[in-house]
């Protein structure tokens, strides 16, 4: 009996446990199903919301794209209008520039023609003047040679006991004129070099004298009642009292051009034409070559005359260097008057 009761109790307990387990499993399944349904509902709502948001975003993007397209069309239309206006303005400006260039070209051409005609007239006058001077020199030399010959003949006929005076050929007469020119050029070069050295000595010595005077003034040896500004003004006046070489510079520059032109005349009188733009040195070398090419018929007097002309040319080149140095000295003298180097320091 007790065994049966125990079995029944065990069976009841097992059944109860089974029922409880089934209930728990059923409840769990229902709970899980409910959770899944809720999750599905949430997913569905999320999907619907995402779809709605996507649709709204697409609609917004479409509206923005449409607005952008409209704005782009407006900008394109505006840009096209601006470009059209700019192109029209550029066309008008280009037309104005082309017209101005055409007018300028016409004016420039007329001015060039006027300048060219004026230059041609000036060159023609200069050529005529040079030709006239050359003819005058040639005529003078010819007259001088003829006068020498006539004088020799008269002297020989009047005084038969005395030997006749030497007659000069045309080359010898030209050579004598070249020698006289060489002596004159040598004298002018020496005088110009002396004047340049004298002015340069004054310009170079003035700053040294100023420093020495300032040193003596500081210790009270000289100019005790003078101030530093008084001393600067004194030496500025002293610089002004130096000889001004600008007038000599201009005068000798013109003289140098005249002497070079005279050398061209001498070379031409030797039988060699000096081409326009050709240097005197090249013309002399060409004349010497032409004379040496004659071999046995070469005139030695012509070679000696050309050598003396070359010597004059070398003196004129040294004169050019002296004039450049004189210009530098004159500039330094002007600076000592306008802005002395000792005033640049501004203090003692």
């Amino acid at each position: 009996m007790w065994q049966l009761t125990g079995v029944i109790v065990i069976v009841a307990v097992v059944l109860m446990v089974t029922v409880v387990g089934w209930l728990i499993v059923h409840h769990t399944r229902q709970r899980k199903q409910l959770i899944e349904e809720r999750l599905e509902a949430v997913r569905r709502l999320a999907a619907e919301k995402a779809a709605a948001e996507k649709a709204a975003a697409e609609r917004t993007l479409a509206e923005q794209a449409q607005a952008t397209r409209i704005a782009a069309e407006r900008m394109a239309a505006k840009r096209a209008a601006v470009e059209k206006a700019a192109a029209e303005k550029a066309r008008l400006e280009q037309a104005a520039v082309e017209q101005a260039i055409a007018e300028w070209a016409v004016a420039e051409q007329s001015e060039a023609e006027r300048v060219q005609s004026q230059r041609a007239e000036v060159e023609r006058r200069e050529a005529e003047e040079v030709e006239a001077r050359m003819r005058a020199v040639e005529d003078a030399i010819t007259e001088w040679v003829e006068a020498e010959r006539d004088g020799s003949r008269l002297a020989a006929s009047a005084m038969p006991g005395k030997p006749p005076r030497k007659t000069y050929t045309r080359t010898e007469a030209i050579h004598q004129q070249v020698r006289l020119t060489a002596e004159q050029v040598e004298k002018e070069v020496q005088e110009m070099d002396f004047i340049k050295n004298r002015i340069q000595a004054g310009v170079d010595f003035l700053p040294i004298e100023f420093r020495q005077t300032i040193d003596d003034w500081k210790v009270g040896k000289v100019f005790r009642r003078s101030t530093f500004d008084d001393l600067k003004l004194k030496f500025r006046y002293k610089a002004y009292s130096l000889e001004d070489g600008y007038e000599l510079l201009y005068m000798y520059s013109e003289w140098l051009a005249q002497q070079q032109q005279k050398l061209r005349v001498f070379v031409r009188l030797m039988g060699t034409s000096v081409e326009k733009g050709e240097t005197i040195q090249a013309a002399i070398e060409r004349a010497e070559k032409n004379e040496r090419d004659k071999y046995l018929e070469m005139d030695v007097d012509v070679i000696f005359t050309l050598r003396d002309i070359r010597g004059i040319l070398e003196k004129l080149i040294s004169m050019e260097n002296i004039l450049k140095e004189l210009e530098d000295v004159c500039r330094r003298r002007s600076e000592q008057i306008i802005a002395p180097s000792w005033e640049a320091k501004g203090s003692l």
Side-chain angles (χ1 to χ4, degrees):
M1 188 66 182
W2 286 103
Q3 293 178 351
L4 182 60
T5 303
V7 171
I8 293 171
V9 170
I10 292 171
V11 172
V13 171
V14 171
L15 289 174
M16 187 177 296
V17 170
T18 302
V19 171
V20 171
W22 180 82
L23 290 174
I24 292 172
V25 171
H26 181 69
H27 179 73
T28 302
R29 288 178 179 175
Q30 288 182 350
R31 185 71 178 174
K32 184 177 181 181
Q33 185 178 2
L34 181 61
I35 291 172
E36 289 178 355
E37 290 177 355
R38 289 180 178 177
L39 289 175
E40 185 66 25
V42 170
R43 291 193 189 98
R44 187 169 58 254
L45 290 175
E48 292 176 355
K49 183 178 180 181
E53 291 178 353
K54 183 178 180 181
E58 290 177 354
R59 186 169 57 255
T60 303
L61 290 175
E63 292 176 354
Q64 290 179 355
Q66 184 177 2
T68 303
R69 185 173 61 256
I70 294 173
E73 291 176 355
R74 291 178 180 175
M75 289 295 295
K78 185 177 180 180
R79 188 182 299 110
V82 172
E83 290 178 355
K84 183 178 180 181
E88 183 67 19
K89 183 179 179 181
R91 186 182 64 80
L92 294 177
E93 290 179 353
Q94 184 177 2
V97 170
E98 290 177 354
Q99 183 178 0
I101 291 175
E103 294 176 355
W104 176 81
V106 173
E108 187 71 15
Q109 184 178 1
S110 61
E111 180 67 17
E113 292 176 355
R114 187 186 66 80
V115 172
Q116 185 176 2
S117 61
Q118 185 177 2
R119 185 181 303 168
E121 181 67 20
V122 172
E123 291 178 355
R124 184 183 62 80
R125 291 178 182 175
E126 291 179 353
E128 291 178 355
E129 292 177 358
V130 171
E131 187 69 23
R133 286 197 296 269
M134 289 183 177
R135 284 197 300 268
V137 173
E138 292 176 354
D139 294 341
I141 292 175
T142 303
E143 292 177 0
W144 184 75
V145 172
E146 293 295 333
E148 285 289 328
R149 290 176 180 174
D150 294 340
S152 299
R153 295 194 191 100
L154 291 175
S157 61
M159 294 176 291
K162 292 185 178 181
R165 293 177 59 187
K166 180 181 178 181
T167 59
Y168 292 93
T169 63
R170 183 174 184 274
T171 303
E172 291 174 345
I174 297 173
H175 196 182
Q176 187 169 357
Q177 294 296 323
V178 170
R179 289 196 189 97
L180 294 176
T181 303
E183 293 175 358
Q184 180 184 3
V185 169
E186 178 67 22
K187 180 180 178 182
E188 295 294 337
V189 170
Q190 292 178 357
E191 291 182 358
M192 190 72 255
D193 189 42
F194 174 76
I195 295 172
K196 186 265 298 181
N197 291 333
R198 184 175 60 194
I199 300 176
Q200 185 174 5
V203 172
D204 293 339
F205 182 71
L206 193 60
I208 300 175
E209 183 182 1
F210 177 79
R211 287 194 294 269
Q212 183 64 38
T213 303
I214 292 300
D215 293 338
D216 294 340
W217 172 74
K218 287 180 180 179
V219 297
K221 292 182 179 180
V222 294
F223 303 111
R224 296 181 179 179
R225 297 182 180 180
S226 299
T227 63
F228 183 61
D229 292 334
D230 294 337
L231 294 180
K232 290 194 295 184
L233 184 61
K234 173 183 176 60
F235 276 90
R236 177 173 289 187
Y237 284 136
K238 196 164 187 178
Y240 185 77
S241 66
L242 292 177
E243 184 178 357
D244 186 8
Y246 275 114
E247 185 176 356
L248 292 175
L249 179 64
Y250 299 145
M251 183 180 68
Y252 273 95
S253 297
E254 184 178 356
W255 174 85
L256 187 64
Q258 294 175 355
Q259 298 305 314
Q260 292 174 349
Q261 185 63 34
K262 186 181 291 186
L263 293 187
R264 292 179 179 272
V265 174
F266 285 147
V267 174
R268 179 176 177 180
L269 291 176
M270 289 290 99
T272 301
S273 60
V274 183
E275 299 178 358
K276 185 178 181 181
E278 185 181 16
T279 61
I280 302 175
Q281 179 69 25
I284 294 174
E285 293 176 355
R286 186 158 53 85
E288 290 177 345
K289 182 178 181 301
N290 293 336
E291 191 64 30
R292 288 193 175 94
D293 289 342
K294 297 178 181 179
Y295 297 106
L296 297 178
E297 297 180 357
M298 179 180 64
D299 191 349
V300 180
D301 290 336
V302 174
I303 298 297
F304 289 158
T305 304
L306 292 174
R307 183 192 61 184
D308 292 343
I309 294 175
R310 187 194 301 272
I312 297 175
L313 179 61
E314 293 175 355
K315 291 183 177 65
L316 293 180
I317 292 174
S318 64
M319 187 66 165
E320 289 181 356
N321 297 329
I322 293 174
L323 291 179
K324 290 180 181 178
E325 295 175 358
L326 177 62
E327 184 178 6
D328 180 68
V329 171
C330 293
R331 179 184 56 79
R332 290 167 53 196
R333 173 188 176 272
S334 299
E335 290 176 354
Q336 287 181 350
I337 297 173
I338 300 172
S341 58
W342 53 79
E343 289 191 4
K345 299 178 181 179
S347 63
L348 298 177

